Amino acid sequence: LTSVAADVSLWTFAYPQIAGRMDWKRLFSPALLTLILTFVILRVAPDLSQGAWVPLLTGLGWIGKLTLPLSMYVLGTQLAKASRTIIDQTAHKLLLIWRLLICPLLMLGLIMIGGATLPYEAKAVLLLVASMPGAVVTVVLAQLHDADSKFAATQILLGHCLGLVTVGIWQVGLFYLSR
């Protein structure tokens, strides 16, 4: 449930922007329709542990578990196609600075200013989410809409490599600032 707001905003606002145009067919993407259907099912049948729901949800769960391996496959194919040299270093640097430094710094500031009553664990989760590198779905969406999927794949790879270091640094910083 923690990513519902992010998912809804991604699939309603970002998805049409990536596609380059706004129309009703793009607004109601398969992912957004899935979110809506999920809420309808939960409202109509609150006890999903009985009846025909069990095999249906098991099958849907298997399909859902395929998304990560398939996304990794798309990422790998785009990285294989990408040039071994980083063509647009300035754009990569700016995106990495934004995603791995500025976003977590803004969240840390918000936590320090307004998070006095939050438990430490909540602060750590907020900072963790803000300091994580970009999602692999970026590459999938870029390929789907004929955007620069090679650039997106390179950006995701660089972000995850640097994120191995920066995420930990932000968490240690929060620990020392919270004392």
Side-chain angles (χ1 to χ4, degrees):
L1 286 176
T2 58
S3 67
V4 170
D7 289 343
V8 169
S9 62
L10 171 70
W11 297 114
T12 54
F13 303 117
Y15 186 77
Q17 290 300 316
I18 293 169
R21 61 188 176 280
M22 181 72 163
D23 61 27
W24 289 106
K25 287 170 89 175
R26 297 228 183 250
L27 181 64
F28 290 108
S29 66
L32 182 60
L33 291 174
T34 302
L35 281 170
I36 293 169
L37 181 62
T38 301
F39 285 121
V40 170
I41 289 172
L42 288 173
R43 188 73 174 144
V44 171
D47 186 14
L48 300 175
S49 64
Q50 297 177 353
W53 291 110
V54 175
L56 176 67
L57 293 177
T58 302
L60 291 174
W62 289 341
I63 293 170
K65 289 177 183 177
L66 287 173
T67 58
L68 182 61
L70 289 174
S71 296
M72 290 297 152
Y73 175 76
V74 171
L75 175 64
T77 58
Q78 291 307 313
L79 284 172
K81 292 179 187 177
S83 170
R84 297 293 180 243
T85 60
I86 298 175
I87 296 170
D88 195 353
Q89 290 185 0
T90 304
H92 280 297
K93 287 177 189 174
L94 289 173
L95 285 170
L96 291 170
I97 288 169
W98 170 257
R99 189 70 194 127
L100 300 176
L101 298 176
I102 296 174
C103 284
L105 184 63
L106 290 172
M107 180 56 72
L108 185 62
L110 289 171
I111 289 170
M112 292 295 121
I113 292 170
T117 60
L118 287 175
Y120 175 77
E121 292 80 10
K123 294 176 188 178
V125 168
L126 287 171
L127 187 60
L128 176 67
V129 171
S131 63
M132 290 179 4
V136 176
V137 73
T138 307
V139 181
V140 175
L141 290 175
Q143 185 174 9
L144 184 65
H145 296 292
D146 298 324
D148 193 351
S149 55
K150 294 172 192 164
F151 177 86
T154 306
Q155 180 66 30
I156 296 302
L157 177 67
L158 292 171
H160 280 78
C161 289
L162 292 172
L164 290 171
V165 176
T166 59
V167 170
I169 291 171
W170 286 112
Q171 290 296 315
V172 169
L174 175 66
F175 175 76
Y176 284 109
L177 288 173
S178 295
R179 299 171 86 194

